[in-house]
């Protein structure tokens, strides 16, 4: 078996928490008269909370002190945690459970590689946590995507060579991170906005493992 492990991003790949991030950032933006657009929100996918706030402040042309930033980062996370506290298994994206079952039945190792510091909570709320042999999230890394650290640590946790791993990502930063780590990567979404992936699929609906492991 050429590939031994599959590493998954969380937001937008397994579950769609982008709407909750969007709502939380919009709530925060009211404090400095800024309304985040859907297009701008796309640029926040796959990057850290700190980097997201810096981008938003740049768009808002607002100069904030470090103290303000620290307060706002905490407030944003509290809003987001409140929103995701109501998540349940119905929010798992279409086809995901079927695909994870295929992987498990065929003996593949499965890990999470997410920038989210709240990944554990989301996995528990949705019931996905039982599928993963390793969970690498924002609490376990110091560098954000497109740095490959999160995926390299995932491969290491599974005792698997990067060359034997396939990453599933919906963000350009994540695709770049996987390629930088020497891994094959499947983009989830549209080829119009995702570049450099070895294969792109619109979703996990009706996808078979055999469709993807010929990369």
């Amino acid at each position: 078996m050429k590939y031994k492990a599959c590493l998954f991003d969380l937001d937008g790949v397994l579950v769609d928490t982008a709407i909750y991030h969007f709502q939380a950032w919009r709530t925060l933006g009211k404090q400095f008269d800024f309304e985040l657009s859907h297009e701008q929100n796309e640029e926040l996918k796959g990057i850290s909370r700190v980097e997201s706030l810096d981008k938003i402040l740049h768009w808002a042309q607002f100069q904030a002190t470090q103290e303000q930033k620290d307060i706002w980062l905490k407030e944003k996370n509290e809003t987001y945690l409140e929103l995701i506290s109501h998540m349940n298994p119905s929010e798992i994206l279409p086809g995901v459970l079927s695909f994870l079952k295929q992987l498990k039945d065929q003996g593949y190792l499965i890990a999470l590689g997410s920038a989210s510091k709240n990944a554990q909570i989301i996995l528990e709320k949705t019931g996905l946590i039982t599928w993963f042999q390793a969970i690498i999230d924002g609490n376990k890394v110091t560098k954000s995507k497109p740095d490959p650290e999160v995926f390299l640590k995932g491969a290491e946790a599974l005792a698997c060579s990067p060359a034997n791993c396939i990453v599933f990502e919906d963000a350009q930063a994540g695709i770049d991170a996987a390629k930088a780590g020497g891994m094959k990567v499947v983009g989830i979404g549209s080829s119009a906005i995702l570049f450099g992936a070895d294969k792109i699929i619109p979703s996990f609906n009706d996808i078979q493992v055999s469709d993807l492991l010929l990369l």
Side-chain angles (χ1 to χ4, degrees):
M1 187 161 63
K2 180 180 178 183
Y3 298 110
K4 298 178 181 177
C6 292
L7 285 70
F8 292 83
D9 178 43
L10 178 61
D11 298 346
V13 174
L14 302 174
V15 296
D16 191 4
T17 55
I19 185 62
Y20 301 127
H21 284 294
F22 182 58
Q23 290 170 359
W25 283 126
R26 271 203 158 184
T27 298
L28 182 70
K30 292 174 183 176
Q31 297 196 37
F32 41 92
D33 297 321
F34 177 73
E35 188 167 305
L36 183 70
S37 71
H38 286 281
E39 291 75 21
Q40 289 166 330
N41 191 55
E42 286 295 311
E43 293 189 40
L44 304 182
K45 287 185 175 180
I47 65 175
S48 72
R49 198 183 311 157
V50 172
E51 289 173 300
S52 294
L53 179 58
D54 284 340
K55 272 184 173 286
I56 288 169
L57 291 172
H58 173 72
W59 290 327
Q61 298 183 317
F62 190 92
Q63 295 290 326
T65 65
Q66 189 57 51
E67 184 180 11
Q68 282 176 310
K69 288 182 182 181
D70 291 342
I71 291 169
W72 287 339
L73 287 168
K74 184 180 178 185
E75 286 181 2
K76 186 269 175 180
N77 194 49
E78 287 171 350
T79 302
Y80 178 69
L81 286 174
E82 170 58 28
L83 291 168
I84 65 170
S85 69
H86 306 291
M87 288 186 76
N88 60 66
S90 72
E91 296 185 71
I92 299 170
L93 288 170
V96 165
L97 288 177
S98 171
F99 189 73
L100 289 173
K101 186 176 187 304
Q102 288 181 61
L103 290 175
K104 189 172 183 179
D105 289 348
Q106 293 180 39
Y108 290 91
L109 300 170
I110 304 172
L112 188 84
S114 170
S116 172
K117 291 190 174 183
N118 302 305
Q120 188 94 10
I121 299 169
I122 294 167
L123 292 177
E124 288 171 359
K125 289 284 182 183
T126 56
L128 282 168
I129 199 162
T130 56
W131 293 98
F132 294 89
Q133 281 90 46
I135 296 170
I136 309 298
D137 62 14
N139 299 300
K140 296 181 180 177
V141 295
T142 58
K143 299 170 186 171
S144 299
K145 302 170 187 176
D147 189 279
E149 181 186 19
V150 69
F151 294 133
L152 293 175
K153 284 195 170 182
E156 183 182 5
L158 296 175
C160 190
S161 164
N164 297 128
C165 296
I166 300 178
V167 170
F168 295 86
E169 262 286 355
D170 74 318
Q172 189 63 50
I175 290 173
D176 294 343
K179 299 306 286 185
M183 302 178 186
K184 294 291 185 180
V185 58
V186 175
I188 315 295
S190 167
S191 58
I193 59 171
L194 297 177
F195 304 97
D198 296 287
K199 186 177 182 70
I200 290 181
I201 58 175
S203 73
F204 285 107
N205 255 346
D206 304 318
I207 297 294
Q208 302 299 310
V209 172
S210 56
D211 296 335
L212 302 176
L213 302 183
L214 299 175
L215 300 173

